[in-house]
Each structure stands twice: as C-alpha cells, then as structure tokens.
Amino acid sequence: MTNARITLVRDFTLGEVPRRLFGSFVEHMGRCVYTGIFEPGHPEADEKGFRQDVLKLVKELGPTVVRYPGGNFVSGYNWEDGVGPVDKRPRRLDGAWHTVESNAFGLHEFVDWSRLAGTEIMEAVNLGTRGVDAARELVEYSNHPGGTYLSDLRKQNGSAEPFDIKLWCLGNELDGPWQIGHKTAHEYGRLAQEAGKAMRFVDPDIELVAVGSSHSSMPTFGEWEHTVLTHAYDEVDYVSLHAYYQEDDGDVKSFLATAVDMDYFIESVVSTVDAVRAAGKHSKHVNLSFDEWNVWYQRGLDTDDQPHNVSKGWREHPRLIEDAYNVTDAIVVGTLLNSLLRHGDRVKIANQAQLVNVIAPIRSEENGPAWRQSIFWPFARMAELARGQILRASVDSDKYESAKFGDVDVVDVSATWDEDNGRVALFVANRGLDEPADVDVSLSGFVVGRVSRAEVLRVPNGKDRFATNTLEGGEQVGLSPLTGVTVTGSRLRFTLPALCWAVIEVEVTRA
Ligand code: AHR
C-alpha cells in the first residue's frame, strides 16, 4: 500500500481559480470543425448546421474559453475568406495540413456557435503570411460598433452588434520551422509589438497573447521568450506555452510523471518573463497562456491519419490525428490539469487541444453518433468543481523512480475552496501501477461536513489501463462512485485504487 499525507490550510491559498484555465481549442484541422461541431445535413444539426449532439457534450465538458481558428492553420489564413455569403467564399489550399478549406464555416459561424456553447472566444490572428494591417482590420470588423467600412461590413454580413472579442493570440508557433511564415525571435518580437499596438489602437480593452515556445525542448526555448518580450513586453498581457505528451516505448512510469515536465516548463517561463520585467523596469506582470496542451501520439508520417501525408493528395476535412485515449492517458490529463491549477497564480489561460475529433475529449462520426473519450472526465469534473480559491497543497507521498524525471510522488493532487458554496474539492491521481494508495488529508481551519461527491475513473475489465471508448465498443471508461471516504474531525481518509484519477468534494465551513 502506498501512503500519502496531504495538508491543506484554509488561509494558505494561491489566489482565485482562473476560470479560463478550462479552455479548449477549435482549429480548422481534420474533422474538428467539419463533421465535428458543424455538419449541415446531420440528423442532429440545427438550421445553422451546428451538431446538437456534439454541442450537448461540449456543454457537459464545460470549457470556458475556446481558441480559434488555429493552430498552424491560422498562419496561412485570410480571415476575410470566412465572412460574407457562404456561396461566394473561396475554396483554398491549406498548406498547414495539406487539405482543401471550403470556408463554409468562418468567423460569424464561430461566434454563433460560441454563444450557444456559452464559451468565450480567443481569436488568433495570422502573423505568418500576414501582419499588422490584417490584424487591426480583424479587430475593427469584430469589435467596432459601426460607422466604418469594416464594422458596417460586419453588420451587412448579419451581425448588427459587435462581437466584443477580448482575448487575441498574436499568431501561432512562429518559433517553429514547420510554421508558414516562421520567424526569428527578433522578427516576431517586433511584429508582435507593432501588431499588438495597432490592434489596441482600434480597441484598447483587448488582451493580447504573444507566441512563446512550441515546446520546452525547442532549441530556442528561453532565448525566444526573452527576445520576444524584450520587444513586446509593454504591448502584451500573456506569453503562450504549448506541450504535447505521449507514452514512449512502454515507459509508462515517465509518461505518468509528465506533469513534472509541465511544472518545469511553466516555472522556467515565469522566470524568463520576470527577468525581462526586471531588466526593463516594467511594473506590470506578463502572465502565461498554456494555449495548447494534451496527450498526442505522434506517429510516423506514413500513417494514414498524419498531417502532411501528401501522398493522399488534397483532401477536404480528412481524418487527422484522431487519437483514441485510454485510461492511462486520462490519468495523465488529470495530472496536467493539476499542474495548471497549482500554477494558477501565473497561468491564467489554458486550452486543451483540441475539442472534437482531433486529439480531443469528444469524438463524432459523420452522419453518426458522438461520444466521450476517457480524457473527457478529469476535464469535465475540474471545469465544474474547481472554483473559488486555489489551496496550496503540502504533499508527503511515497515516491517511485521514473527514467525521465527521477523520483516522483505517487500521489498527485490539486485542491480548491469555494467559500460561496462551502465546498473543498480535491483532484487526485494515484500513479502507482499496482498498489492502492491510502490518502490522509488534513483540512486545517475548516469544519468538515458531508462528502458531497466522490468519484473515481472506472478501469473496466479488472486492470486494463489500455481500455478506450470507441464507436463499436461504447463508453467503457467513465466515472464510478469512490466508496469508503471517511471524515473524522477535520481529517479526510480514502483509498485510491491502483492507477486511477479521482475527485472528492466535501462540505466545509470556517473553523
Ligand atoms: O493542435 C495541433 C497542432 O499542434 C496545432 O495546429 C499547432 O499549433 C501545434 O503544433
């Protein structure tokens, strides 16, 4: 049996839960938009072509903010192609994913869909092939009330009211040689500075995200953020981070510990950002936007569903990277969410990539059903329950050795306290492959009442960590009640099965 002691102290908090941490991402890639959220003619589609079965699952998942329209796609995209009468919109080659873009879905459709989903929009501008002018014009088209050519064009295209988009990404992954319009840090830093300035001249209330490193092992990591922010610190509010993880060569112990890498990545970017703040004698803080993260199995380029498989020709919304997630992946996703929440004093936005079909918690079939993947569950529960204050957790857990990260805590946790509804929520993972974990939680400064929720990710068929939810097999992986949670005074005790993710919520008042 593994042992873990967790101490939570009522006044030992990290600040308010940034609700934008539970963001997602819709890119014009593969089947995320087409046959994902949008499929005119599907039996469940409404009159605008939005799939109601998918929308229902999106609402259940509960993302707060959705980034759009890319990703690599945005670096070659003309936003003007996606507005105006649909039959007049141009069909274009999308070089990022070697596909054909019909432009049947564009900005107005995304705004309408976001309203139905109840999600905030995070709009990315093209700083790959385009620049300052297209970026400021898109802000004017979206946010200016009227009386100018672009704002009146928006009205003519059906939206009398401005879209009022607050959150804007200044391009995507421009540090990556794979990006259309890849730039050096100096080139990008100056462009972000000037584009940001011009966008804010149009709407001073917007928030801007500068492109950071595409992952922490980029050769330019650190130097990129330093140079970009040295140019653009005054203009931007956030710098981005992207990271994707997978189980390599059966090294499940390192895979289960990937939140350690996310911790390292976040803490390194915070240090770099703050070094630029000090050197530039800036008073404001630039925060972090982890606007792409997930598990992603990057297979060989000759695999059918891989991007850039040019031998397949120019296809329209082909199946691309539709990973089927298993129980282990869901546990890793739970720990990545824990890492984000534990850094909620500086990470203010995070977007799981992507929302539907493309490395996504929700899957859908063309003219067929939609369903939840295993990774749906930690996201859905944390998006629902992580509210109020982030509690700093002091964890004393047994450890295990991993090849990539050395000694790692077997039990991983994050916790929140919502004084308004009188609840403490704990999100815990047992990374142990074989042993259950006995967890003893001290809640100092609280009077602990009833256990209002206790659920554990169900591992079907005994211990099959590779179980997935599929079209044929249905939703095998889901949540079950976690039994045996006991409260004694201000102590909470429970046993986690081997290899699991769980949520426990208790009623509390101030002691
Ligand atoms: O989410 C898939 C792709 O991964 C995005 O388009 C890109 O930004 C990243 O490399």
Side-chain angles (χ1 to χ4, degrees), residues 230-272:
T230 299
H231 289 299
Y233 197 96
D234 280 333
E235 280 73 25
V236 305
D237 304 288
Y238 310 93
V239 63
S240 76
L241 300 82
H242 291 180
Y244 293 102
Y245 300 102
Q246 65 184 27
E247 184 175 334
D248 288 320
D249 308 321
D251 182 7
V252 61
K253 290 188 170 179
S254 296
F255 179 49
L256 284 162
T258 42
V260 173
D261 183 72
M262 188 179 248
D263 291 343
Y264 157 79
F265 192 7
I266 292 170
E267 287 157 22
S268 307
V269 175
V270 167
S271 308
T272 309

Side-chain angles (χ1 to χ4, degrees), residues 274-387:
D274 289 351
V276 179
R277 176 176 182 254
K281 303 189 172 40
H282 302 280
S283 55
K284 78 165 186 189
H285 277 289
V286 166
N287 284 317
L288 275 55
S289 170
F290 215 124
D291 46 42
E292 285 186 36
W293 68 269
N294 207 349
V295 172
W296 174 3
Y297 288 88
Q298 311 218 10
R299 294 173 286 269
L301 281 184
D302 51 349
T303 318
D304 249 19
D305 74 340
Q306 286 310 286
H308 301 291
N309 192 336
V310 290
S311 67
K312 297 275 166 194
W314 292 96
R315 295 173 290 169
E316 217 173 308
H317 55 78
R319 284 180 195 277
L320 294 181
I321 56 169
E322 299 193 359
D323 288 9
Y325 291 113
N326 62 39
V327 174
T328 320
D329 301 328
I331 293 163
V332 169
V333 162
T335 60
L336 295 174
L337 284 162
N338 280 349
S339 169
L340 292 167
L341 196 53
R342 287 192 299 253
H343 292 93
D345 56 336
R346 296 302 298 271
V347 183
K348 300 294 179 187
I349 306 164
N351 306 70
Q352 190 182 39
Q354 299 186 6
L355 183 58
V356 187
N357 289 329
V358 179
I359 46 170
I362 298 170
R363 285 289 315 274
S364 67
E365 277 303 317
E366 184 167 2
N367 213 23
W371 67 96
R372 305 165 191 84
Q373 295 232 57
S374 63
I375 62 169
F376 183 98
W377 292 108
F379 189 105
R381 284 299 178 268
M382 291 184 75
E384 179 191 351
L385 302 175
R387 291 172 188 275

Side-chain angles (χ1 to χ4, degrees), residues 2-24:
T2 295
N3 287 293
R5 283 172 55 82
I6 298 167
T7 307
L8 303 171
V9 181
R10 191 194 65 208
D11 294 329
F12 198 14
T13 63
L14 207 63
E16 189 82 17
V17 175
R19 294 285 304 157
R20 283 171 168 172
L21 279 190
F22 306 107
S24 189

Side-chain angles (χ1 to χ4, degrees), residues 324-325 363 371-373 467-476:
Y325 291 113
R363 285 289 315 274
W371 67 96
R372 305 165 191 84
Q373 295 232 57
T468 55
N469 295 345
T470 59
L471 176 63
E472 301 77 24
E475 292 192 13
Q476 300 184 70

Side-chain angles (χ1 to χ4, degrees), residues 25 27 29 71-72 97 172-173 242 244 292 296 353-354 359:
F25 176 35
E27 175 165 9
M29 175 180 181
N72 294 348
W97 304 121
N172 176 73
E173 292 190 353
H242 291 180
Y244 293 102
E292 285 186 36
W296 174 3
Q354 299 186 6
I359 46 170

